[in-house]
Amino acid sequence: DQQVKQNSPSLSVQEGRISILNCDYTNSMFDYFLWYKKYPAEGPTFLISISSIKDKNEDGRFTVFLNKSAKHLSLHIVPSQPGDSAVYFCAATTPNSGYALNFGKGTSLLVTP
Amino acid sequence: KAGVTQTPRYLIKTRGQQVTLSCSPISGHRSVSWYQQTPGQGLQFLFEYFSETQRNKGNFPGRFSGRQFSNSRSEMNVSTLELGDSALYLCASSLTQVPGGEQYFGPGTRLTVT
């Protein structure tokens, strides 16, 4: 069963605008959440993370928001750039699974000039 | 420093055969995890090794196995290959498996089973 869900397979945004990628999870034991970015023919690269004790974490143009009551997190990219075009994976971990990453199926972001 | 390397990058095997994939982690990283990526299931955790010991295992059949050597290099083996084993196999390394501990991924091995 998919414990981490990314319900939007794709998203298209104009350069300079905000990109919002969403992620939902079902396991209340998840205590750490991460976003990875993946370009074709490369492995995923770490982008940003957030602990369950926080509701926001910011790193440059990237901000992750966590809403534990809704079991929902989102990644905001402001402003979006063409180089941000990639597949974005949401992942979650719990000590119960030895902190193995549970991934969503990804959202393909296209930033158009 | 050098990233995670995986060999081979591409592999074609026949149903029923076995295959061994190799992963060299970033120097100093002692934790190596393996993931399978398929279009239908996405990225799924296979297992994790730390200091030559399997610490964690995902929900895969026993045909999938792995090991880690004293230099932290890791191999995974799939026996009696099935068509459904066609996937991208990704290896990731980290200093240790702790919350928020970034995992650094290799480029993957694309396995095709015919």
Side-chain angles (χ1 to χ4, degrees):
Chain A
D1 62 329
Q2 197 79 21
Q3 298 184 70
V4 178
K5 298 177 184 178
Q6 294 176 257
N7 292 320
S8 298
S10 63
L11 176 67
S12 183
V13 171
Q14 273 192 317
E15 181 179 6
R17 300 281 187 121
I18 182 172
S19 295
I20 300 177
L21 295 95
N22 293 303
C23 178
D24 297 295
Y25 61 95
T26 58
N27 189 343
S28 58
M29 298 301 293
F30 286 145
D31 64 353
Y32 220 94
F33 305 87
L34 308 92
W35 285 92
Y36 279 79
K37 179 167 77 170
K38 187 179 186 299
Y39 293 115
E42 295 182 13
T45 55
F46 172 77
L47 202 53
I48 192 170
S49 63
I50 187 167
S51 164
S52 60
I53 63 173
K54 295 185 176 181
D55 54 18
K56 177 182 174 181
N57 189 26
E58 200 169 348
D59 184 1
R61 298 186 296 113
F62 302 91
T63 303
V64 57
F65 296 92
L66 175 63
N67 182 334
K68 282 180 295 183
S69 60
K71 294 191 177 69
H72 177 84
L73 65 157
S74 60
L75 174 69
H76 292 211
I77 307 174
V78 184
S80 300
Q81 300 173 354
D84 296 330
S85 298
V87 178
Y88 289 79
F89 291 95
C90 169
T93 72
T94 167
N96 292 354
S97 65
Y99 295 110
L101 293 172
N102 293 268
F103 282 96
K105 292 189 178 182
T107 296
S108 179
L109 173 65
L110 177 65
V111 181
T112 57
Chain B
K1 53 186 170 181
V4 178
T5 57
Q6 292 187 246
T7 56
R9 292 292 310 275
Y10 302 91
L11 205 49
I12 300 175
K13 288 286 188 179
T14 303
R15 194 170 40 181
Q17 289 185 315
Q18 74 153 17
V19 67
T20 299
L21 312 181
S22 181
C23 171
S24 292
I26 291 172
S27 177
H29 285 193
R30 298 168 65 190
S31 170
V32 174
S33 298
W34 288 89
Y35 294 84
Q36 180 196 64
Q37 184 182 18
T38 59
Q41 298 299 318
L43 274 154
Q44 292 186 291
F45 172 74
L46 280 156
F47 28 66
E48 185 240 347
Y49 287 86
F50 183 85
S51 292
E52 302 179 65
T53 300
Q54 187 182 90
R55 275 200 311 196
N56 199 5
K57 190 177 190 306
N59 190 25
F60 277 82
R63 300 185 297 106
F64 292 82
S65 63
R67 60 177 176 169
Q68 186 180 34
F69 301 95
S70 58
N71 61 358
S72 293
R73 191 176 70 84
S74 177
E75 290 180 347
M76 70 161 281
N77 185 277
V78 188
S79 63
T80 319
L81 283 165
E82 300 177 359
L83 295 178
D85 298 332
S86 295
L88 180 67
Y89 290 89
L90 291 158
C91 164
S93 76
S94 62
L95 283 171
T96 184
Q97 196 80 319
V98 293
E102 294 176 33
Q103 294 189 33
Y104 296 83
F105 284 83
T109 294
R110 172 73 62 185
L111 172 65
T112 301
V113 182
T114 61

